[in-house]
Amino acid sequence: VEERKDADKSDPYANDPKRHPALIPSSVKPFNAEPPVSLLIHNYITPNDLFFVRNHLPVPQINIKDFKLDIAIDGSEKKAKSFTVDTLKKVFPKRKITTTLQCAGNRRSEQIKIKPVKGLNWGMAAISTAEWTGATLDDVLKHCGVDIEKVNFAHIQFEGMDRGPDGTSYGASIPMEMARMLKNEIIIAYEMNGVDIPRDHGYPLRVIVPGTVGARQVKWLNKIVLSNEESGSHWQQRDYKGFNASVDWDTVDFKKSHAIQFLPVNSAICEPEEGQTLEKDADEVTLKGYAWSGGGRGIFRVDVSADGGKTWRTADLLEKPESLKQTDYRAWAWVFWEATIPLPENHDGKVELVCKASDSQYNVQPDSVEGVWNLRGCLNNAWHRVHVNVAK
Amino acid sequence: VEERKDADKSDPYANDPKRHPALIPSSVKPFNAEPPVSLLIHNYITPNDLFFVRNHLPVPQINIKDFKLDIAIDGSEKKAKSFTVDTLKKVFPKRKITTTLQCAGNRRSEQIKIKPVKGLNWGMAAISTAEWTGATLDDVLKHCGVDIEKVNFAHIQFEGMDRGPDGTSYGASIPMEMARMLKNEIIIAYEMNGVDIPRDHGYPLRVIVPGTVGARQVKWLNKIVLSNEESGSHWQQRDYKGFNASVDWDTVDFKKSHAIQFLPVNSAICEPEEGQTLEKDADEVTLKGYAWSGGGRGIFRVDVSADGGKTWRTADLLEKPESLKQTDYRAWAWVFWEATIPLPENHDGKVELVCKASDSQYNVQPDSVEGVWNLRGCLNNAWHRVHVNVAK
Ligand SMILES: [Mo]
Ligand SMILES: [Mo]
């Protein structure tokens, strides 16, 4: 990657890549952005340049000729093994996974409206879907003499090449138990939708852990460590955890909470949009949106309401692409849905639309944002509400 | 089993077993009953005679000398294999699983209070925990030449020996995909808490599918069928499915809904009980209860409130028995919890206590019973509310 001519050497973000102008930033340095919701549900597979971007630090400049992925065993002096990207491509069978990635902070803006939280002001599009290609973690570890089924280490740590001002790199980990459950569906990806992973999304390598929060799917991956400890990183230890609505910054104890891994069931209305005015004298409305659950749980049902949740109709779940044979318990990718429902007869020009989904474990979304509010604004999966005006 | 001398030959329930007098029946013929909540949380492992009973039909009288479990392949003329209970005990390694069973209708009474539903009026104790011993389904099928990983059939059907007036027996099925996920944790049990399974709980055999609704864990099991179809039974096809709150008996279409399998996260306050009066001038209250989630999801957190859900405290999760090493994603058995929290300063003598749990996928319970209400009254996992009086 060449340095930009105009790069300001004192700005660590000076060499960040160019981005699609349609992306809506929630922060510029580091760059974080989501696509407009209308574009989000336009493509089942999100185009790379519209995929939401969640960067914690500057995008690293990586020279592919010098790049290696190290596999290390905690407590052991020497590395177990190093791989170039070329080796990963040549030595291991190619595995493709189509999976939805969601930021833990997706839909945080609805929490912020109730009470301030610490975190980026994400709308409902900090979620996207791509087909990732790579070597399975299982194959790579086996090559290193490690059998996930038998290994005694309790965690797998992932380290990225993105670094903060103090030199520490982004890191995260998953429990070995999750690696066993997901096994040959965790991949060390080198392609995103058929091309080299774009710089914003982890070039040249990103670990893909289907069904899991985006934060654990480390970009610019250059180190995997088998360990008995979770990653010691800020983002594993003091971030991306859940708390009840009464925990504040004086009482919070990150040690006592659990790292977010698999995400709960979620859904959102992408059409119509908040504040939109429907056509004059409309007596029905067509809603469109997405639904997704973590842990491979598919979506059994999406319900929609045009009266704030007093009465419900079941939406149609749209067919997924023919090639995507994902089952009820290994459904890594989202579902799009659609419903045309009557407006309430005696509305006063203002209508509250609502959606909520049930996953294949019959887990449901909670009714109120108040109930899931937390000081970090993570894990908002309350019923999604959109208010529209109906001209009379 | 000998017939009772006083048996009324015209009553198919005349030979039902005697039950513990503390059990609270929700129906007598068939017998359905739950233990008092105070006893429920008295023992982490529910004593057999206090374990909730969910019978759909009369308890069959089974002569162990004639009893056989048949394994059949759908579409094939001959049985794959038959096993006596003795053979199951002698041929296969003994496997023990401690798992919580919950009826799909647990906590239905809270739905009934809002609007009538069709179903037994269960309180919050249609849930219990036992240690089951048996042969794994995987071992038994392997012995029949069937490898769960490779078999092409889409479902495993279970049939019981309990029969309705028309001669049809109770039946249920699980998708083969679930059998693959759970694999050597599905057992064909012959012991419950170290003794022969009591008649009310399936003597001599019951299939135990951890993390799954009680209805699929067929009692008096005498037939297993590998098939491409779900069980055709009433209970698989026209019962035990989820619907939104607006579906009524005129609009319900059972074919369009999914059979309930893994259950969603749930919890309940068992102490104090509804309507109880706390001690005079109490300024705090101690809450005790259980929490559980299906699909092996452990419990990450239980939150409690003494002001109807406006403010929350995190409860203490009590240690599980030493012998019970269940991990975050294979946590088949419930957790008990406890919390002592202050009463609101300006209460008027009436206090609403609330609990809600998050599981290891950070799935949460929904706020309101109204939101999960359905015509069959299944799947109530709303925040649990108990109203107490505080004498001043
Ligand atoms: Mo995230
Ligand atoms: Mo049940």
Side-chain angles (χ1 to χ4, degrees):
Chain A
V1 178
E2 276 184 47
E3 301 219 350
R4 288 200 206 158
K5 290 228 173 81
D6 58 350
D8 173 355
K9 303 274 181 199
S10 67
D11 177 5
Y13 295 95
N15 282 293
D16 266 21
K18 295 241 186 264
R19 279 98 183 191
H20 194 291
L23 286 178
I24 305 160
S26 50
S27 109
V28 174
K29 297 178 182 185
F31 189 75
N32 288 282
E34 64 193 297
V37 281
S38 56
L39 290 180
L40 186 71
I41 57 162
H42 192 71
N43 301 286
Y44 183 82
I45 302 290
T46 317
N48 286 353
D49 55 0
L50 289 173
F51 200 99
F52 84 94
V53 179
R54 173 61 179 116
N55 292 342
H56 295 85
L57 298 163
V59 176
Q61 289 183 275
I62 292 170
N63 189 331
I64 193 74
K65 283 183 289 182
D66 304 328
F67 178 86
K68 279 190 179 163
L69 169 68
D70 292 337
I71 315 285
I73 313 284
D74 224 14
S76 159
E77 287 300 306
K78 57 177 183 111
K79 289 180 285 214
K81 216 102 185 178
S82 288
F83 299 93
T84 65
V85 175
D86 244 30
T87 312
L88 289 175
K89 287 182 181 172
K90 280 176 191 156
V91 171
F92 302 103
K94 265 189 176 19
R95 178 89 155 92
K96 289 176 192 291
I97 302 269
T98 299
T99 181
T100 295
L101 263 68
Q102 187 182 222
C103 182
N106 191 31
R107 301 182 55 200
R108 180 181 284 127
S109 57
E110 299 160 50
Q111 291 195 33
I112 291 176
K113 271 180 207 146
I114 292 174
K115 202 162 74 170
V117 305
K118 199 177 140 191
L120 300 169
N121 193 7
W122 290 113
M124 62 185 120
I127 182 170
S128 300
T129 298
E131 183 197 66
W132 303 86
T133 306
T136 71
L137 176 65
D138 195 40
D139 282 343
V140 172
L141 289 180
K142 274 206 184 98
H143 191 87
C144 302
V146 175
D147 180 346
I148 286 181
E149 291 297 334
K150 292 176 190 157
V151 73
N152 269 325
F153 293 106
H155 300 274
I156 307 187
Q157 302 177 0
F158 305 109
E159 251 179 66
M161 287 183 72
D162 44 340
R163 288 174 186 279
D166 63 350
T168 54
S169 50
Y170 186 82
S173 62
I174 60 168
M176 191 65 71
E177 188 183 11
M178 281 178 59
R180 280 189 205 105
M181 292 166 80
L182 300 171
K183 214 177 164 185
N184 48 33
E185 314 218 40
I186 301 178
I187 61 176
I188 299 170
Y190 40 75
E191 282 178 20
M192 179 179 183
N193 293 328
V195 299
D196 285 352
I197 300 177
R199 285 186 66 211
D200 256 338
H201 298 290
Y203 177 83
L205 294 181
R206 178 175 198 172
V207 63
I208 296 297
V209 188
T212 303
V213 62
R216 310 302 168 209
Q217 320 209 25
V218 174
K219 305 196 274 192
W220 312 293
L221 176 77
N222 76 331
K223 195 170 186 184
I224 296 176
V225 184
L226 303 185
S227 174
N228 275 325
E229 306 298 326
E230 283 191 303
S231 165
S233 85
H234 169 83
W235 300 275
Q236 188 79 23
Q237 298 299 329
R238 298 189 52 82
D239 201 352
Y240 294 121
K241 296 191 169 190
F243 299 96
N244 75 42
S246 296
V247 173
D248 60 27
W249 290 101
D250 293 329
T251 57
V252 67
D253 183 351
F254 278 92
K255 279 202 193 68
K256 284 201 178 149
S257 182
H258 294 262
I260 299 168
Q261 300 284 1
F262 292 136
L263 286 176
V265 59
N266 209 348
S267 69
I269 301 165
C270 297
E271 201 183 303
E273 294 186 46
E274 179 68 25
Q276 197 175 312
T277 298
L278 304 187
E279 65 184 84
K280 199 167 167 333
D281 295 325
D283 56 5
E284 58 179 31
V285 57
T286 296
L287 289 78
K288 297 180 184 183
Y290 66 77
W292 182 73
S293 184
R297 301 317 194 210
I299 297 297
F300 270 0
R301 203 177 77 236
V302 173
D303 300 316
V304 293
S305 171
D307 56 13
K310 283 197 275 295
T311 62
W312 298 92
R313 305 261 177 147
T314 298
D316 292 323
L317 306 183
L318 306 190
E319 288 287 322
K320 295 189 180 187
E322 186 65 31
S323 61
L324 200 69
K325 295 263 179 283
Q326 296 191 335
T327 53
D328 286 344
Y329 304 99
R330 295 185 102 72
W332 309 119
W334 58 13
V335 63
F336 285 171
W337 55 265
E338 210 174 297
T340 299
I341 59 174
L343 293 175
E345 289 193 5
N346 299 314
H347 69 76
D348 61 355
K350 299 200 176 296
V351 169
E352 187 180 57
L353 306 173
V354 193
C355 80
K356 65 181 171 78
S358 305
D359 73 11
S360 62
Q361 190 174 327
Y362 271 111
N363 276 304
V364 298
Q365 297 180 232
D367 314 30
S368 76
V369 178
E370 284 80 357
V372 288
W373 186 96
N374 60 88
L375 77 176
R376 277 291 282 110
C378 291
L379 296 166
N380 182 20
N381 70 333
W383 297 358
H384 187 236
R385 296 167 194 271
V386 162
H387 304 86
V388 293
N389 306 304
V390 188
K392 282 201 177 179
Chain B
V1 179
E2 276 184 46
E3 300 219 351
R4 288 200 205 157
K5 290 231 173 81
D6 58 349
D8 172 355
K9 301 275 181 199
S10 66
D11 178 4
Y13 294 95
N15 281 293
D16 265 23
K18 296 241 188 265
R19 279 97 182 192
H20 194 289
L23 285 177
I24 304 160
S26 51
S27 110
V28 173
K29 297 177 181 186
F31 189 76
N32 288 282
E34 64 193 296
V37 281
S38 56
L39 289 180
L40 185 71
I41 56 161
H42 192 70
N43 301 286
Y44 183 83
I45 302 290
T46 317
N48 285 353
D49 56 359
L50 289 174
F51 200 100
F52 84 96
V53 179
R54 173 64 180 111
N55 292 343
H56 296 85
L57 297 163
V59 176
Q61 290 183 273
I62 293 169
N63 188 331
I64 192 74
K65 282 183 290 183
D66 305 329
F67 178 87
K68 278 189 178 163
L69 169 68
D70 291 338
I71 314 286
I73 313 285
D74 225 13
S76 159
E77 287 299 306
K78 59 177 181 113
K79 290 178 286 213
K81 215 104 185 179
S82 288
F83 299 94
T84 65
V85 175
D86 244 29
T87 311
L88 288 175
K89 287 182 181 172
K90 281 175 191 157
V91 172
F92 302 102
K94 267 189 176 22
R95 178 89 154 92
K96 289 176 192 291
I97 300 270
T98 299
T99 180
T100 295
L101 263 67
Q102 187 181 221
C103 182
N106 191 32
R107 302 183 53 200
R108 181 181 284 126
S109 57
E110 298 159 52
Q111 291 194 32
I112 291 175
K113 270 180 210 148
I114 292 174
K115 202 162 76 171
V117 306
K118 201 175 139 189
L120 300 169
N121 193 6
W122 290 113
M124 63 184 117
I127 182 170
S128 301
T129 298
E131 183 197 66
W132 303 86
T133 306
T136 71
L137 176 67
D138 195 40
D139 282 342
V140 172
L141 289 180
K142 274 206 185 101
H143 191 86
C144 301
V146 175
D147 180 346
I148 286 180
E149 291 297 335
K150 290 175 190 157
V151 71
N152 269 325
F153 292 106
H155 299 275
I156 307 186
Q157 301 177 0
F158 305 109
E159 251 180 66
M161 288 184 72
D162 44 340
R163 287 175 186 279
D166 64 350
T168 53
S169 48
Y170 186 83
S173 62
I174 59 168
M176 192 65 72
E177 189 184 11
M178 279 177 61
R180 279 190 206 105
M181 290 166 81
L182 299 172
K183 215 177 163 185
N184 48 33
E185 315 218 39
I186 300 179
I187 61 176
I188 300 170
Y190 41 74
E191 281 177 21
M192 179 180 182
N193 292 329
V195 298
D196 285 352
I197 299 177
R199 285 187 66 213
D200 257 338
H201 298 291
Y203 177 84
L205 294 181
R206 178 174 199 174
V207 63
I208 295 296
V209 188
T212 304
V213 62
R216 310 302 169 209
Q217 320 209 24
V218 175
K219 305 196 273 192
W220 313 293
L221 177 78
N222 76 332
K223 196 171 184 183
I224 296 176
V225 184
L226 303 185
S227 175
N228 275 325
E229 307 298 326
E230 283 192 303
S231 166
S233 85
H234 169 83
W235 299 276
Q236 188 79 23
Q237 297 299 329
R238 298 187 53 81
D239 201 352
Y240 295 121
K241 294 189 170 193
F243 299 97
N244 75 42
S246 296
V247 172
D248 60 28
W249 290 101
D250 294 329
T251 57
V252 68
D253 183 351
F254 278 91
K255 277 200 194 69
K256 285 202 178 148
S257 182
H258 293 263
I260 299 168
Q261 299 285 1
F262 293 136
L263 287 176
V265 60
N266 209 346
S267 68
I269 300 163
C270 297
E271 201 182 303
E273 294 187 46
E274 179 67 26
Q276 196 175 314
T277 298
L278 304 188
E279 64 185 85
K280 197 166 169 336
D281 296 324
D283 55 6
E284 58 179 30
V285 57
T286 297
L287 290 77
K288 297 179 184 183
Y290 66 77
W292 181 73
S293 184
R297 301 317 195 210
I299 298 297
F300 270 0
R301 201 177 78 236
V302 173
D303 299 316
V304 293
S305 171
D307 56 12
K310 282 196 278 293
T311 62
W312 299 92
R313 304 262 178 147
T314 298
D316 292 323
L317 305 183
L318 306 189
E319 288 287 321
K320 295 189 179 188
E322 186 65 31
S323 61
L324 200 69
K325 293 264 180 283
Q326 297 189 335
T327 52
D328 286 343
Y329 304 99
R330 294 186 102 72
W332 310 119
W334 59 12
V335 64
F336 286 171
W337 54 265
E338 212 174 296
T340 299
I341 58 174
L343 294 175
E345 289 194 5
N346 298 314
H347 69 76
D348 61 357
K350 299 199 176 298
V351 169
E352 187 179 58
L353 306 174
V354 193
C355 80
K356 64 180 171 76
S358 305
D359 73 11
S360 62
Q361 191 175 326
Y362 271 110
N363 275 303
V364 298
Q365 299 180 231
D367 314 30
S368 76
V369 179
E370 285 80 358
V372 288
W373 186 97
N374 60 90
L375 78 177
R376 277 291 281 110
C378 291
L379 295 167
N380 183 20
N381 70 331
W383 296 359
H384 187 237
R385 295 167 195 272
V386 162
H387 305 86
V388 294
N389 305 304
V390 188
K392 281 199 178 183

PDB file of all heavy atoms in Angstrom, chain B residues 54 103-104 240, ligand 2:
ATOM      1  N   ARG B  54     -46.361 -34.341  33.623  1.00  0.00           N
ATOM      2  CA  ARG B  54     -47.103 -33.876  32.451  1.00  0.00           C
ATOM      3  C   ARG B  54     -47.510 -35.111  31.652  1.00  0.00           C
ATOM      4  O   ARG B  54     -46.710 -35.674  30.904  1.00  0.00           O
ATOM      5  CB  ARG B  54     -46.230 -32.952  31.602  1.00  0.00           C
ATOM      6  CG  ARG B  54     -46.844 -32.519  30.246  1.00  0.00           C
ATOM      7  CD  ARG B  54     -48.062 -31.700  30.430  1.00  0.00           C
ATOM      8  NE  ARG B  54     -48.730 -31.233  29.215  1.00  0.00           N
ATOM      9  CZ  ARG B  54     -49.932 -31.697  28.830  1.00  0.00           C
ATOM     10  NH1 ARG B  54     -50.530 -32.678  29.482  1.00  0.00           N
ATOM     11  NH2 ARG B  54     -50.516 -31.169  27.784  1.00  0.00           N
ATOM     12  N   CYS B 103     -41.987 -27.759  30.833  1.00  0.00           N
ATOM     13  CA  CYS B 103     -43.160 -27.875  29.980  1.00  0.00           C
ATOM     14  C   CYS B 103     -43.278 -26.599  29.151  1.00  0.00           C
ATOM     15  O   CYS B 103     -42.999 -25.502  29.644  1.00  0.00           O
ATOM     16  CB  CYS B 103     -44.391 -28.048  30.856  1.00  0.00           C
ATOM     17  SG  CYS B 103     -45.899 -28.249  29.900  1.00  0.00           S
ATOM     18  N   ALA B 104     -43.720 -26.744  27.901  1.00  0.00           N
ATOM     19  CA  ALA B 104     -43.946 -25.572  27.039  1.00  0.00           C
ATOM     20  C   ALA B 104     -44.949 -24.614  27.685  1.00  0.00           C
ATOM     21  O   ALA B 104     -44.951 -23.422  27.413  1.00  0.00           O
ATOM     22  CB  ALA B 104     -44.471 -26.004  25.676  1.00  0.00           C
ATOM     23  N   TYR B 240     -48.028 -27.377  20.616  1.00  0.00           N
ATOM     24  CA  TYR B 240     -46.625 -27.088  20.898  1.00  0.00           C
ATOM     25  C   TYR B 240     -45.936 -26.348  19.749  1.00  0.00           C
ATOM     26  O   TYR B 240     -44.871 -26.753  19.287  1.00  0.00           O
ATOM     27  CB  TYR B 240     -45.863 -28.382  21.242  1.00  0.00           C
ATOM     28  CG  TYR B 240     -46.344 -29.019  22.525  1.00  0.00           C
ATOM     29  CD1 TYR B 240     -46.855 -30.310  22.547  1.00  0.00           C
ATOM     30  CD2 TYR B 240     -46.289 -28.320  23.723  1.00  0.00           C
ATOM     31  CE1 TYR B 240     -47.311 -30.893  23.728  1.00  0.00           C
ATOM     32  CE2 TYR B 240     -46.736 -28.887  24.910  1.00  0.00           C
ATOM     33  CZ  TYR B 240     -47.243 -30.174  24.900  1.00  0.00           C
ATOM     34  OH  TYR B 240     -47.683 -30.745  26.068  1.00  0.00           O
TER      35      TYR B 240
HETATM   36 MO    MO C   2     -45.199 -29.836  27.822  1.00  0.00          MO
END
